[in-house]
Amino acid sequence: MLGFVLAEALRDCRRAGRVGVSAVLLIALSLAALGGFWLFSLNLGRAIDQWRDRVRVVVYLKEEPSATKLGDLLRQIESVGGVQRVRYVSKGEALHSLKHALGAQADVTDQLPRNPLPASVEVTPDADTATPEGNRALVRRLAELPEIDEVQGGAQWVEGLAQFRHLFQLVGLGVGAVLGLAAILTVTTATTLVLHLRRDEMEIMRLVGATESVIRLPRVLQGMAQGLLAATIALGVLEAVYAVAAPRLEPLLPLTLGLQRAIFLSPPQILVLMVSGGILGALGGLLARSGRKPHAR
Amino acid sequence: MIRLLHVSKVFGEGPARVPALSDVSFTVEKGEFVVLSGGSGAGKTTLLRLLYRDELPSEGEIEVADFEVTELRRSEVPQLRRSIGVVFQDARLLDGRTVFANVAFVLRVLGTPRREVRPRTLASLKAVGLSARAQAYPHQLSQGEAQRVALARALVKSPALLLADEPTGNLDDDMGTEILELLKEIGSRGTTVFLATHQARVATQLKRRTLTLAGGHLLKDEG
């Protein structure tokens, strides 16, 4: 029986002709668009995660604490909640960093009568606090400490980017959904045309007592085969674009997204894309309907 | 094998209502050969379609091969149809498939084990005298040969009941006689045959029990 069903599905694929080719191309297009959005979003997500890890809140102190008071102050800061780790930056270390940043012009700082830079504590928020709300609350809590002069920093810009990524994903899904729907309709049309050609066969099948599953399964398999073929094409296109574009974009990535290299879809993600193609095609095959021949009375 | 009790069938509703069968009752025993005679529009095809559950009656009860046809769920209809063979006025062979493939198609659709398909198909073709034409395509057959292939296709699954709807309607007298002889032979082997025809000479030629329909009413049951 399986042999019969597969042979019929293969026969249907051949009969689908140009409409079948259109269906495959449309599914490939929708999956390539979806995969493209996914690929970009994946790399943007990596960049955002990296930036999120680098979010720091800088707590400027009114006075440089003595060695004995420093330990208490750091414990006090850690105990406000939402703090992953703290690092004390003394006035001397701050000046040293400034000189390092100024490079050749570092001797400008020698003209200063005294070190004007305040001592500070770099606070790294924990994962739960690295949100705009959590960050604002942390800044408020830190500002209430008596030894604190000013608190700076936040994750707002990173979150803005995260929201852009979210929006980008939604647009990608929307475009994918529209193209996916179009693909289903095309497969449905292709399969319906094949069913029209096969109307006589289906009449005979029903007449001799074939179950609906035996009658329908070849159509579903035909759609699934088209979908899998389309997914393979889409992945091939994505892989080719990635192979061509990634080396050219590599010098720009550290400067723009802060990434060393762009990554491609992982094997599980490739599998998801393949399965999506199969499901899109199978749905088209499942939704196809054939007209019945009128009978004489 | 067949039992109809006060069966009526109406197509359409309101002003478009067309009664096709009215209060038809009869019984056909297992192994019987019965001719259903009547002019065009008498309701013969409708009656046959009720028997293989292509239509449901508007009223009445139908029993075929131990199946309560009117009570069957959709999913149970294939079981009924496996015990019925049907041939039509046109042979309805599948183009692009050989005679052998047309007949074997039925067995393959029904999931018959592969090793049984070939011998059963060849046996069925032999029974209708077409062994030599097994590799021919439908367009290479005469109408009589095509009708014999249709018979082989109906018989290959060894049905208990054979329904024939105007099987000689498209054939000349000689070819028609050949088909009728084949049907008689099939009947003599124990298969119940229910043959619908508008040709009065067919009923005369067969000399079997004849039910006569006119305007959807069963007028006569004789022989």
Side-chain angles (χ1 to χ4, degrees):
Chain A
M1 180 56 75
L2 185 66
F4 169 76
V5 168
L6 289 175
E8 290 301 304
L10 197 66
R11 192 181 261 262
D12 289 351
C13 281
R14 284 201 300 265
R15 286 189 193 184
R18 281 185 191 173
V19 190
V21 173
S22 308
V24 168
L25 290 180
L26 203 56
I27 298 179
L29 183 68
S30 49
L31 289 177
L34 206 61
F37 273 103
W38 198 359
L39 204 55
F40 186 78
S41 168
L42 205 66
N43 285 291
L44 192 61
R46 280 173 65 227
I48 289 167
D49 289 344
Q50 225 171 68
W51 291 331
R52 202 175 262 160
D53 281 346
R54 289 179 198 162
V55 168
R56 300 283 183 274
V57 174
V58 182
V59 175
Y60 294 103
L61 305 176
K62 286 176 182 165
E63 291 172 9
E64 186 161 36
S66 64
T68 50
K69 283 185 178 173
L70 179 62
D72 290 341
L73 177 65
L74 294 181
R75 272 191 292 281
Q76 219 178 342
I77 290 174
E78 279 174 330
S79 65
V80 299
V83 176
Q84 191 183 65
R85 61 176 179 273
V86 293
R87 191 176 82 84
Y88 175 64
V89 180
S90 67
K91 285 167 71 82
E93 193 182 338
L95 188 62
H96 180 73
S97 297
L98 178 65
K99 283 180 174 176
H100 187 258
L102 290 171
Q105 280 80 43
D107 54 357
V108 173
T109 57
D110 296 337
Q111 310 301 317
L112 298 167
R114 59 184 178 84
N115 181 356
L117 301 175
S120 63
V121 178
E122 271 184 18
V123 176
T124 306
D126 62 20
D128 294 338
T129 314
T131 60
E133 299 76 33
N135 205 255
R136 273 196 292 274
L138 176 63
V139 168
R140 262 199 315 277
R141 289 197 298 272
L142 289 169
E144 282 168 8
L145 296 175
E147 293 86 351
I148 307 304
D149 183 33
E150 193 185 344
V151 184
Q152 273 185 5
Q156 278 83 351
W157 68 277
V158 178
E159 288 317 310
L161 206 63
Q163 280 171 5
F164 168 72
R165 180 203 182 191
H166 186 60
L167 184 71
F168 188 79
Q169 280 175 330
L170 283 179
V171 170
L173 280 176
V175 171
V178 170
L179 286 171
L181 193 66
I184 290 175
L185 289 176
T186 313
V187 177
T188 304
T189 308
T191 316
T192 302
L193 283 174
V194 173
L195 290 189
H196 190 75
L197 293 172
R198 297 198 65 217
R199 211 157 53 153
D200 290 341
E201 279 171 30
M202 291 172 69
E203 293 258 331
I204 298 295
M205 286 166 97
R206 288 202 171 89
L207 200 62
V208 300
T211 56
E212 279 303 307
S213 57
V214 170
I215 297 170
R216 288 194 164 273
L217 202 54
R219 257 92 291 152
V220 175
L221 289 179
Q222 176 208 343
M224 197 182 280
Q226 287 176 332
L228 288 174
L229 178 64
T232 310
I233 294 171
L235 279 167
V237 169
L238 283 176
E239 179 76 59
V241 170
Y242 174 78
V244 170
R248 286 170 175 72
L249 291 174
E250 225 147 69
L252 296 173
L253 286 175
L255 301 173
T256 52
L257 294 177
L259 298 173
Q260 289 309 308
R261 53 182 288 272
I263 58 164
F264 193 65
L265 300 173
S266 66
Q269 288 162 338
I270 288 174
L271 190 68
V272 166
L273 219 58
M274 291 293 287
V275 170
S276 304
I279 290 174
L280 278 180
L283 265 177
L286 198 66
L287 293 174
R289 287 273 181 276
S290 67
R292 297 193 66 185
K293 277 186 170 177
H295 290 273
R297 279 190 295 133
Chain B
M1 180 57 66
I2 300 174
R3 188 176 62 85
L4 267 74
L5 202 60
H6 305 298
V7 170
S8 297
K9 177 67 186 175
V10 177
F11 290 102
E13 285 175 8
R17 193 173 180 274
V18 181
L21 288 172
S22 303
D23 195 24
V24 175
S25 299
F26 65 84
T27 305
V28 175
E29 298 300 330
K30 193 176 174 190
E32 226 184 325
F33 192 124
V34 176
V35 178
L36 180 66
S37 170
S40 189
K44 304 184 297 297
T45 299
T46 300
L47 201 153
L48 291 187
R49 287 174 63 197
L50 292 176
L51 296 181
Y52 62 88
R53 189 42 160 81
D54 198 34
E55 287 285 351
L56 274 169
S58 307
E59 278 176 45
E61 291 172 24
I62 301 175
E63 191 185 314
V64 175
D66 297 329
F67 288 92
E68 290 288 344
V69 175
T70 38
E71 303 295 319
L72 282 182
R73 288 196 300 262
R74 265 178 88 91
S75 60
E76 294 169 331
V77 172
Q79 291 171 38
L80 163 75
R81 292 187 180 170
R82 285 173 194 208
S83 57
I84 303 174
V86 189
V87 285
F88 301 96
Q89 184 167 347
D90 52 332
R92 298 191 189 181
L93 301 182
L94 303 175
D95 295 330
R97 296 186 198 242
T98 62
V99 164
F100 181 91
N102 262 280
V103 178
F105 182 74
V106 175
L107 296 176
R108 296 181 69 207
V109 163
L110 298 180
T112 308
R114 192 181 280 253
R115 64 181 179 282
E116 289 180 30
V117 173
R118 190 172 168 79
R120 283 178 67 178
T121 303
L122 290 175
S124 193
L125 286 173
K126 191 178 174 190
V128 297
L130 278 180
S131 300
R133 304 288 277 151
Q135 295 312 313
Y137 283 87
H139 68 270
Q140 297 169 321
L141 303 174
S142 69
Q143 282 189 315
E145 284 175 327
Q147 197 58 291
R148 281 196 278 163
V149 177
L151 264 175
R153 186 175 62 188
L155 294 171
V156 72
K157 57 180 178 167
S158 308
L161 171 65
L162 178 66
L163 301 178
D165 190 4
E166 304 277 8
T168 58
N170 280 350
L171 307 178
D172 62 30
D173 287 354
D174 289 345
M175 282 182 180
T177 303
E178 268 181 31
I179 295 297
L180 293 179
E181 287 304 317
L182 259 176
L183 287 170
K184 277 160 76 175
E185 198 182 317
I186 290 161
S188 68
R189 284 189 226 133
T191 305
T192 308
V193 180
F194 194 74
L195 183 152
T197 180
H198 72 281
Q199 296 165 304
R201 67 166 182 82
V202 171
T204 315
Q205 199 172 338
L206 284 167
K207 298 190 184 83
R208 304 292 162 124
R209 178 183 165 200
T210 302
L211 306 173
T212 307
L213 275 179
H217 295 272
L218 182 60
L219 289 188
K220 283 189 278 185
D221 182 350
E222 47 191 9

